[in-house]
């Protein structure tokens, strides 16, 4: 019977956070702890928080409080903990420790401190945009030639620079499947006026292609069949390595890894989605023709105020370029409504774009001030009630349009990765136009099906954004 202490690791937010949790999990196990699913029986619960928007921060606090109610000791990690540090520790005494990114390499020591009742001094947050990122050459000079997951090699990074990679463990025994996120880079160099991510994630640092490929092989060896490439901005991959075409060069190599059936790219900036990248995503066998495009709005004046590129016409032209090469390509996006200064005409421009775009999935969020962002100081703030009305109106339109897009796929053939068993011998999976968790799913019916395989099925029905399909 194991006498090792137990840690429950709860992950909130995006797939990027999931990769961070896997790296934390590896370090926790290396420090002599056992990972357990759920807070019951855990000595410590580590919550990898999200700090992107107000709703995510509330969810993080609620999760920390629920963990405390379980009787376990509680550690706050992740973006919210990094962003607020001492402020969060003072406001939430239920957390026994609030740790920043610089504590990750010593997570075992932090957990020992918590169990021993030793107080941990939470950090004073710094604006990581002012910190010089470690260069790829410097980063790899002191690491192994290839940073193999689970073997460290980057514990000597300068303070304030988040590691671009680290040891990793697939927590498949805690409910995983044949899909895994694969981190391309850390940080972001864009300066959108509404976003605080660069302030606590730091400058953009790409992982070397050889390192990404080695991790892909490692994941394939652990049963992964679909890789989801994640970063704060995947279209910037390679710019700090001196190669703006690094991503399109990398995709064929990833798709060619033995055991990998599908590669999916997430979080593309419209301004950086160049023709060569479109061609690589649409035309590389094994790469899903899927475009997670961060439009955010469609009114030119609002986008300029957000310090972003584009307008309705340019975005529709981009979609035309994509569908000229892959007519059935999946496209999803997120939109902010109620941004300071957004007029009724601006809102109507966004609604018209949504009607014409034929998106497979769309997230709609109401604007809220975020600490430390330029937008928080802008004039023209809308009444919260008006923001809520616009969110409801656009969300309703998006739900109707994405359901219609799914219905349009009835009669078509889709390649579905089978991920879970459903009732009556059916399986639930995802087609190439559907990303994990954020998009719809496909209920697949047929004989001789098995988890983890990709099957070709004909779509026979739809329910909202979800599809029903049969394998002959």
């Amino acid at each position: 019977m194991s006498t090792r202490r137990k840690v429950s690791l709860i992950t909130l937010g995006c797939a990027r956070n999931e990769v961070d949790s896997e790296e934390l999990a590896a370090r926790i196990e290396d420090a002599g702890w056992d990972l357990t699913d759920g807070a019951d029986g855990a000595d410590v619960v580590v919550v990898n928080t999200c700090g992107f928007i107000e709703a995510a921060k509330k969810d993080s606090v609620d999760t920390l409080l629920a963990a405390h109610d379980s009787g376990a000791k509680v550690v706050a990690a992740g973006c919210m903990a990094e962003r607020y540090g001492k402020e969060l520790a003072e406001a939430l005494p239920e957390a026994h420790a609030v740790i920043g990114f610089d504590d990750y390499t010593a997570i075992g020591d932090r957990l020992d401190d918590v169990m021993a009742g030793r107080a941990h001094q939470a950090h004073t947050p710094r604006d990581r945009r002012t910190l010089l990122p470690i260069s790829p050459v410097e980063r790899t000079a002191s690491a192994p030639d290839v940073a193999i997951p689970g073997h460290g090699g980057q514990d000597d990074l300068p303070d304030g620079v988040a590691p671009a990679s680290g040891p990793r463990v697939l927590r498949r025994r805690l409910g995983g499947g044949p899909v895994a996120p694969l981190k391309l880079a850390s940080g972001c160099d864009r300066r959108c006026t509404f976003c605080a991510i660069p302030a606590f994630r730091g400058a953009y640092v790409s992982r070397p292609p050889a390192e990404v490929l080695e991790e892909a092989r490692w994941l394939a060896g652990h049963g992964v069949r679909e890789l989801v490439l994640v970063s704060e901005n995947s279209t910037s991959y390679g710019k700090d390595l001196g190669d703006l075409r690094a991503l399109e060069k990398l995709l064929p190599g990833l798709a060619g890894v033995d055991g990998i059936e599908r590669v999916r790219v997430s979080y593309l900036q419209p301004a950086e989605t160049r023709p060569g990248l479109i061609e690589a995503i649409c035309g590389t066998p094994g790469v899903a023709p899927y475009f997670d495009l961060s439009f955010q709005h469609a009114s030119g004046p609002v986008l300029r105020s957000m310090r972003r590129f584009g307008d309705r016409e340019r975005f529709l032209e981009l979609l035309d370029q994509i569908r000229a090469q892959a007519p059935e390509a999946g496209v999803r996006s997120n939109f902010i409504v109620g941004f300071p200064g957004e007029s009724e005409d601006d809102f109507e421009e966004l609604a018209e774009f949504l009607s014409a775009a034929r998106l497979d999935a769309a997230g709609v969020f109401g604007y809220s001030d975020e600490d430390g962002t330029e937008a928080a100081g802008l004039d023209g703030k809308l009444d919260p009630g008006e923001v809520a009305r616009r969110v409801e109106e656009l969300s309703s339109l998006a739900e109707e349009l994405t359901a219609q897009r799914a219905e349009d796929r009835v009669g078509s053939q889709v390649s579905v990765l089978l991920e879970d068993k459903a009732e009556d011998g059916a399986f639930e999976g995802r087609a190439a136009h559907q990303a994990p968790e954020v998009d719809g799913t496909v209920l697949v019916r047929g004989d001789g099906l098995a988890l983890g395989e990709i099957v070709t099925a004909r779509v026979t029905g739809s329910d909202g954004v979800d599809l029903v399909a049969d394998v002959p």
Side-chain angles (χ1 to χ4, degrees):
M1 182 175 178
S2 174
T3 59
R4 286 160 49 119
R5 295 164 296 179
K6 295 182 179 180
V7 175
S8 174
L9 182 55
I10 300 174
T11 306
L12 305 176
C14 63
R16 175 65 175 76
N17 259 15
E18 182 63 33
V19 177
D20 287 351
S21 284
E22 290 177 355
E23 294 177 0
L24 273 174
R27 296 186 189 279
I28 288 170
E29 287 192 324
D30 287 346
W33 294 72
D34 284 334
L35 289 165
T36 184
D37 190 11
D40 291 344
D43 297 293
V44 182
V45 176
V46 178
V47 180
N48 188 354
T49 61
C50 179
F52 181 46
I53 58 176
E54 196 62 37
K57 288 184 282 189
K58 182 180 184 303
D59 187 31
S60 294
V61 170
D62 290 345
T63 303
L64 287 163
L65 292 175
H68 176 266
D69 291 342
S70 73
K73 295 184 182 295
V74 180
V75 175
C79 291
M80 188 176 179
E82 172 65 33
R83 186 175 179 183
Y84 293 103
K86 286 184 177 179
E87 182 181 346
L88 178 61
E90 292 169 359
L92 197 71
E94 291 84 354
H96 295 81
V98 173
I99 64 174
F101 296 150
D102 294 339
D103 290 304
Y104 283 14
T105 57
I107 184 64
D109 293 338
R110 298 291 82 77
L111 295 179
D112 288 343
D113 290 342
V114 167
M115 289 299 295
R118 294 188 291 268
H120 173 66
Q121 185 68 34
H123 65 284
T124 299
R126 294 169 291 174
D127 188 338
R128 290 178 180 264
R129 290 172 296 189
T130 65
L131 299 170
L132 293 176
I134 189 169
S135 72
V137 173
E138 292 172 316
R139 185 177 70 236
T140 56
S142 59
D145 290 339
V146 176
I148 299 174
H151 290 76
Q154 295 194 41
D155 291 354
D156 56 349
L157 293 178
D159 288 345
V161 178
S165 67
R168 179 173 187 183
V169 60
L170 264 186
R171 295 186 294 134
R172 302 168 62 74
R173 60 190 178 282
L174 303 185
V179 182
L182 175 55
K183 181 169 62 176
L184 285 175
S186 297
C188 184
D189 286 340
R190 300 186 68 88
R191 295 294 179 264
C192 303
T193 58
F194 57 84
C195 183
I197 287 177
F200 57 84
R201 278 290 186 184
Y204 196 87
V205 180
S206 301
R207 296 179 65 190
E211 185 178 293
V212 177
L213 283 165
E214 183 63 25
E215 185 167 341
R217 297 185 190 102
W218 183 81
L219 290 168
H222 284 73
V224 170
R225 294 295 169 259
E226 178 178 326
L227 300 173
V228 181
L229 307 185
V230 298
S231 71
E232 277 73 25
N233 174 14
S234 296
T235 40
S236 282
Y237 178 72
K239 69 178 185 180
D240 54 322
L241 303 176
D243 187 357
L244 292 175
R245 298 185 62 243
L247 182 54
E248 43 259 59
K249 294 177 182 177
L250 178 63
L251 288 175
L254 290 171
V257 170
D258 188 31
I260 297 300
E261 300 288 339
R262 191 157 70 193
V263 177
R264 184 183 304 276
V265 186
S266 67
Y267 209 84
L268 306 172
Q269 285 287 344
E272 298 175 8
T273 305
R274 49 206 172 270
L277 181 56
I278 295 173
E279 183 178 353
I281 293 175
C282 292
T284 303
V287 175
Y290 176 82
F291 292 81
D292 175 17
L293 291 162
S294 174
F295 289 126
Q296 301 298 351
H297 212 280
S299 162
V302 173
L303 287 163
R304 298 295 87 72
S305 186
M306 291 178 170
R307 199 175 292 126
R308 294 178 67 86
F309 157 90
D311 54 35
R312 176 166 61 101
E313 290 76 14
R314 291 178 182 176
F315 290 164
L316 290 176
E317 288 174 4
L318 176 59
L319 293 176
D320 286 343
Q321 292 175 37
I322 291 169
R323 288 169 177 150
Q325 298 190 43
E328 297 302 314
V331 183
R332 72 158 287 114
S333 191
N334 294 318
F335 301 94
I336 297 173
V337 297
F339 192 79
E342 180 191 68
S343 67
E344 280 288 353
D345 287 344
D346 294 325
F347 181 71
E348 287 303 316
E349 184 84 352
L350 176 54
E352 289 177 12
F353 168 73
L354 198 59
S355 297
R358 299 170 57 234
L359 303 180
D360 293 279
V364 179
F365 303 91
Y367 171 81
S368 62
D369 287 340
E370 287 296 316
D371 298 334
T373 62
E374 186 177 336
L378 294 178
D379 296 329
K381 299 288 175 60
L382 275 65
D383 179 80
E386 175 60 18
V387 174
R389 182 193 70 79
R390 295 185 185 189
V391 169
E392 182 178 1
E393 182 177 334
L394 199 71
S395 296
S396 178
L397 177 62
E399 184 176 352
E400 176 184 344
L401 293 169
T402 53
Q404 180 60 55
R405 176 65 171 157
E407 187 176 340
D408 291 343
R409 292 186 182 274
V410 173
S412 67
Q413 284 193 335
V414 291
S415 295
V416 185
L417 174 63
L418 305 180
E419 298 182 72
D420 293 296
K421 291 184 178 180
E423 296 180 354
D424 301 324
F427 285 78
E428 186 176 69
R430 290 175 300 101
H433 69 278
Q434 298 167 320
E437 299 183 5
V438 294
D439 297 339
T441 61
V442 185
L443 181 69
V444 181
R445 301 174 298 201
D447 297 327
L449 304 179
L451 287 174
E453 68 176 347
I454 291 184
V455 299
T456 300
R458 181 168 296 277
V459 180
T460 58
S462 66
D463 181 10
V465 296
D466 298 326
L467 302 177
V468 178
D470 293 334
V471 175

